[in-house]
Amino acid sequence: MKRTSAIRLSNPIFTSYTDILDHCCAAWTKLTDQPWTIMSIGLRDWAHGF
């Protein structure tokens, strides 16, 4: 699953500004629907060095 999403998001060609916004909004929504992903990144040792 991760590989498919990485390919899908790696180098898309956008047709318009609205297309870019739609992709950004979809990515943001997907991220905010998974708060445990954000929490797991924030709990890693390297994340506390900033």
Side-chain angles (χ1 to χ4, degrees):
M1 178 82 170
K2 288 184 181 182
R3 178 152 173 85
T4 303
S5 63
I7 292 169
R8 180 177 54 84
L9 296 174
S10 65
N11 197 14
I13 297 173
F14 301 107
T15 58
S16 66
Y17 181 73
T18 303
D19 191 29
I20 295 170
L21 290 179
D22 290 344
H23 279 79
C24 290
C25 288
W28 181 256
T29 300
K30 185 173 182 174
L31 181 63
T32 58
D33 286 344
Q34 302 174 28
W36 58 91
T37 301
I38 299 168
M39 291 181 345
S40 72
I41 293 169
L43 293 173
R44 295 181 185 182
D45 290 335
W46 59 264
H48 295 275
F50 295 102

